Amino acid sequence: MQLGIIGLGRMGGNIARRLMKDGHETVVFDRSTDAVTALASDGAIGAASLEEVVAKLAKPRAIWVMLPAGAPTEGTIATLAGLLDPDDTIIDGGNSFYKDDIRRAKDLATKGLNYIDVGTSGGVWGLERGYCMMIGGDAAVVRRLDPIFATLAPGIGTIDRTRGRNSTDDRAERGYIHSGPAGSGHFVKMVHNGIEYGLMQAYAEGFDILKMKASDALPEDERFDLNMADIAEVWRRGSVVSSWLLDLTAQALVGDPELSHFSGSVADSGEGRWTVQAAIEEAVPIPVLATALFARFRSREEHTYADRMLSAMRFGFGGHVEIPQ
């Protein structure tokens, strides 16, 4: 299939590359001409403007917007809406607020345009591992674009199949789902990221306890000088707390057990806040997820070993750079 891609950053560029490896054609644009040139050298069709992207795509067009939530995405979608024809499709693969998706879908429908929201997880590793996708929008349009999603998804791979699972739709097992109408994809991804905050915080706090066991504040016979790298490594193997996040933690600890390359000032990209807001609207208690979000706020005032570990994990899966201060 053919797909336009707007935004060639940490994820957009690799989305294009993964598609091209499977024979899809991509028309790409970014404000950085270097990014466009790099993708063109890999086989993409470069474009110098949004107008040129639209002109180089065959109808019905599909354009994937992979930009930061808020003004960059809003402005780009508004511009595309004025350039596209009925039955063309705009896909937002970033981390937009799900209520914005609902509004956009309604607005674009008045012009005969389709809108699909794709909550996309995979970070900087997506080219190799594939992307887990949660897709909202019209079912028929999602099915039409299935070759795109099937290529981007990880596939069944080597993960054991869930015992007793019996479904006529195997997309979830292959790493992507049609979650429902517009907005549902980003809503599911939003909660996914809220859970991610909680998981990361749990690892960070646990390792902080381990690290502080060597503190002079403790009685000498109760102090343990524990090897953080070895503990992360052994937990990766057979432990109930093993995970990809723990894999990334173990990698970060190799050669830098103090995590001195990381600031410990931990950013939040919005989804954690939106998850807390949704929980308030639904009257759902989420003490773990809320506390994890507030811990990130606190990290910007004082930096602990746990905060540096959070920074290390964020860099590991998403390439987020938090400079030591």
Side-chain angles (χ1 to χ4, degrees), residues 92-315:
D92 179 7
N95 280 324
S96 288
F97 185 42
Y98 77 98
K99 292 184 179 180
D100 291 335
D101 295 312
I102 295 170
R103 168 181 51 80
R104 291 177 196 150
K106 291 177 179 177
D107 292 344
L108 293 172
T110 65
K111 304 176 185 294
L113 298 173
N114 305 308
Y115 180 80
I116 302 294
D117 57 289
V118 182
T120 311
S121 181
V124 296
W125 298 90
L127 175 60
E128 174 187 344
R129 293 168 58 103
Y131 300 90
C132 172
M133 291 169 291
M134 298 131 271
I135 306 164
D138 181 79
V141 178
V142 172
R143 279 292 184 189
R144 185 171 76 191
L145 296 171
D146 189 75
I148 295 293
F149 302 131
T151 287
L152 292 176
I156 291 177
T158 59
I159 296 175
D160 292 339
R161 304 187 79 165
T162 302
R163 292 191 302 274
R165 178 178 171 83
N166 184 17
S167 174
T168 57
D169 186 347
D170 71 345
R171 287 180 291 181
E173 290 185 293
R174 291 188 281 134
Y176 64 110
I177 60 169
H178 176 225
S179 52
S184 66
H186 278 147
F187 183 79
V188 176
K189 177 57 162 52
M190 176 191 79
V191 176
H192 163 285
N193 282 28
I195 293 170
E196 177 186 295
Y197 281 32
L199 293 172
M200 292 172 67
Q201 188 67 30
Y203 282 123
E205 290 179 8
F207 276 93
D208 209 15
I209 295 169
L210 295 169
K211 183 68 175 174
M212 291 303 294
K213 194 59 175 170
S215 171
D216 291 342
L218 296 174
E220 186 173 359
D221 63 350
E222 294 183 12
R223 297 175 204 163
F224 302 146
D225 186 11
L226 301 169
N227 187 309
M228 299 294 103
D230 279 357
I231 292 170
E233 191 64 32
V234 76
W235 283 356
R236 292 180 62 214
R237 304 176 187 280
S239 165
V240 73
V241 300
S242 60
S243 72
W244 186 35
L245 286 173
L246 186 59
D247 294 345
L248 296 172
T249 300
Q251 188 62 59
L253 289 167
V254 172
D256 185 16
E258 297 298 322
L259 301 175
S260 57
H261 289 81
F262 300 95
S263 71
S265 177
V266 187
D268 68 287
S269 53
E271 299 86 0
R273 301 186 189 207
W274 299 336
T275 301
V276 172
Q277 290 170 5
I280 292 170
E281 292 174 3
E282 299 168 12
V284 175
I286 55 163
V288 171
L289 306 192
T291 301
L293 173 65
F294 298 150
R296 294 193 177 198
F297 296 165
R298 192 265 314 135
S299 77
R300 296 162 208 170
E301 299 173 2
E302 54 175 320
H303 312 319
T304 67
Y305 185 77
D307 298 329
R308 295 197 299 277
M309 183 158 286
L310 287 173
S311 289
M313 282 186 271
R314 293 187 82 240
F315 177 77

